[in-house]
Amino acid sequence: MAEPQPGPQAPRPTRSGPGVVLVALYGLLALAATGRSVLQISENFSHAPLAYLLSALAAVIYIVATVALVRGDRTSRRVALVAISVELLGVLVVGAASYRAKDAFPDKTVWSHFGSGYGFVPLVLPVLGLLWLRHTAGSGNRVRSPGA
């Protein structure tokens, strides 16, 4: 007689354990990025429009990632995966571009210089976020990378 096979393990909450710190960091970065981008756009938009708009985009992505991580349901986990993946791509592309096209990034923004103005947290945070989503995914419910 065969033993019954256990069913797929449900995903663990994304806002438990170290996830609480991760969500708090995302929330803090969302506030900081929003504040900085609003200030830069309202006071000096013509000085570096591309950089400031990318900073505002980063703020929106941080807000979406924060909300999705807090909710933690199946759809929210997928939204978080996409938002955090875009965040990682953004910080890598904008970080490299800010060194190559210095005139377009005269002031520090969230992703410029790989987040150096924020202690490189914008570079490390998406890696931790993706690792956390993977760690908390239940067996059989693994969060897959976009395009996989």
Side-chain angles (χ1 to χ4, degrees):
M1 181 172 196
E3 289 187 30
Q5 295 293 325
Q9 182 182 2
R12 296 191 331 210
T14 53
R15 62 185 184 281
S16 63
V20 172
V21 175
L22 185 71
V23 169
L25 284 172
Y26 265 102
L28 184 63
L29 207 50
L31 287 172
T34 300
R36 179 177 242 174
S37 65
V38 166
L39 183 66
Q40 288 175 323
I41 288 170
S42 65
E43 291 188 357
N44 296 320
F45 183 71
S46 62
H47 185 62
L50 176 63
Y52 299 158
L53 288 174
L54 288 170
S55 200
L57 174 64
V60 170
I61 291 170
Y62 289 127
I63 292 167
V64 169
T66 302
V67 171
L69 288 169
V70 166
R71 291 188 50 158
D73 59 43
R74 186 175 182 167
T75 301
S76 296
R77 293 174 71 85
R78 289 180 184 200
V79 169
L81 176 67
V82 170
I84 294 170
S85 297
V86 170
E87 170 196 357
L88 180 58
L89 180 64
V91 75
L92 292 174
V93 170
V94 172
S98 65
Y99 284 105
R100 293 182 64 87
K102 293 178 181 181
D103 291 346
F105 298 89
D107 299 325
K108 295 231 185 256
T109 63
V110 181
W111 290 344
S112 66
H113 303 99
F114 302 105
S116 66
Y118 288 81
F120 296 100
V121 171
L123 181 61
V124 175
L125 194 60
V127 174
L128 295 176
L130 292 171
L131 289 172
W132 185 247
L133 284 172
R134 182 178 176 90
H135 176 75
T136 58
S139 62
N141 292 316
R142 289 273 179 219
V143 176
R144 289 180 172 59
S145 300

